[in-house]
Amino acid sequence: MFPYMRGASFTMKLHCFDKKFFNSSPLLVPVQLPCRTETHFWYVLPDEVKSEALLSKYRELLPQSEEKKVDSMCGDELRKGALLARALVRTTIARYQINTEVSPRSLEFTTNIHGKPEVRWQHSDDWLPPPLHFNISHTSSLVACGVTMDSPIGIDVEEKQRAIKNNVLSFVRRYFSGHEVEHLSSILDPEVQRQEFLKLWTLKEAYVKALGRGFSASPFNTFTIRFGPAKEGSFHLSGKSNSEESEILVKSLDSSTHDTSTWQFALLELAGSHYASICRRKDIAPEGKASVPMKLKVWKTIPLVEDKIVSGTDSAVIIGGLS
Amino acid sequence: MASLLSTSPALSATLAYTAAPRCSMKQVNSFSTVLRASIQGGLRLVPKIHISKAATRTSPLSQRFRTRISCSIAQPETLAIVQNTIAKQLSIEESTVAPGTKFADLGADSLDTVEIMMALEEKFGVSIGEGGAENIATVQDAADLIEKVKSAAA
């Protein structure tokens, strides 16, 4: 009942909004950049974006090349999702008010050598671009963007109800690490097993995306993610959280790679319908003290229209990590 | 998450095309030792080797087609099975899974892609490896990759 009512009020708001919208430049309410220990997480629910006029405004924010990519998606829903993803990342980054030159439309994007998207800032002699990092993930029913300062970030979202077409244990034996296979094999209830698999998948995805080196550089069976016991004082987010929340740890299984203790995770249940994982570097306090836990701010948003902080509410329940 | 997939042009195999099916089977077999070596070193090497091998063929027909690029090597049956597998995984109509269609455009995220790879490995009794999935952009690429790996295993 509530989701339906929320949808109705958003539609009404948008109808009133349309008239103003055509006569003015897009509304971009500024947002403060996250501090080094903070992670920002923005998400849109495509079902709540119904106004054709608003979708046209999103299109106007895109350069031709991106518009073409959106239009090459097969089907209306996929096109809408792709459009929302581009609109979300462009408006969000522009709202951080990096400088007066930056607008959603003026932002340029590129990819690193492994294909990870990043902002291509306009360099000039008297301006250094900020160390702003972002990462996008989406499903057909949720589009998300994570933002950090001075830390690579990877996020992944999956629908909780998502069906796994292959046999879960066969899949996990083929692609995950030995410890993870053991852990999932020990879960006897198939539904719980499927859910635990999905949570683990999103965490592994988020980690590989944070590393930014591509799927093949960090095969899923070369690292293990597991839940450790809850640390005392391990989260700084007031409000609701699952009482069984525990630390999330990653361990590399081959000697060649990176120090895995520098990465931290958060696992959330979003909008009651999705698992979302976030992975970023820990911010090491300069005096060599123990690293500061991740602070997380979550917004539900409709780009150019409104947003609502949902961290600490039922829409963003922490189910693991943050340490 | 679809963003993981390569957006650069796919590595397509270049293969000198001859009209007679028998000739192309011979070519595939003679390539198989080359393919086996190149797969160990990484699939990146394969297109280069195909070009030089084609240059040594003496048949006038193959020489005429020597410089042809982006020629698919998947057998029609292979492509059909690949299309069917992808359609089932993504719960879409097979008609939308045209050979030239990109995985990303079909809305396949990374979990879909890996599920598809696993289903294909099981169907064809081959092993693709993580590097394979990353270089696949289109449905045709997936079918070509299966064909390559099948030949190497033959």
Side-chain angles (χ1 to χ4, degrees), chain A residues 58-59 61-62 82-92 104 303:
Chain A
Y58 293 160
R59 270 186 182 271
L61 300 176
L62 308 191
L83 178 59
L84 285 174
R86 297 317 304 163
L88 178 64
V89 72
R90 282 178 172 275
T91 54
T92 302

Side-chain angles (χ1 to χ4, degrees), chain A residues 69 72-74 78 115 136-138 156 158 162-167 170-171 174-175 197-198 201 205 209 213-216 219-221, chain B residues 1 3-4 7 88-91 96 101 104-107 109-112 114-119 121-122 127-131 133-134:
Chain A
K69 281 202 184 135
S72 67
M73 303 292 289
C74 307
L78 290 178
I136 309 171
S137 177
H138 58 102
D156 191 52
E158 293 292 347
R162 187 211 178 106
I164 312 300
K165 299 274 162 80
N166 292 286
N167 173 273
S170 304
F171 185 95
R174 170 71 182 81
Y175 292 105
F197 162 78
L198 273 181
W201 174 273
E205 262 295 280
K209 289 173 80 183
R213 298 186 324 213
F215 196 58
S216 62
F220 272 24
N221 59 6
Chain B
M1 182 49 213
S3 66
L4 268 196
T7 53
K88 282 217 167 73
Q89 174 64 35
L90 303 180
S91 303
T96 60
T101 316
D105 293 345
L106 291 171
D109 66 10
S110 49
L111 181 51
D112 287 314
V114 180
E115 284 224 75
I116 289 166
M117 290 300 126
M118 175 157 169
E121 285 187 340
E122 285 185 346
S127 175
I128 297 171
E130 279 80 2
E134 211 172 35

Side-chain angles (χ1 to χ4, degrees), chain A residues 176-184 200 204 220 223-225:
Chain A
F176 283 22
S177 75
H179 295 100
E180 290 163 344
V181 173
E182 256 185 66
H183 168 65
L184 288 170
L200 199 46
K204 290 174 82 75
F220 272 24
F223 64 93
T224 289
I225 289 186

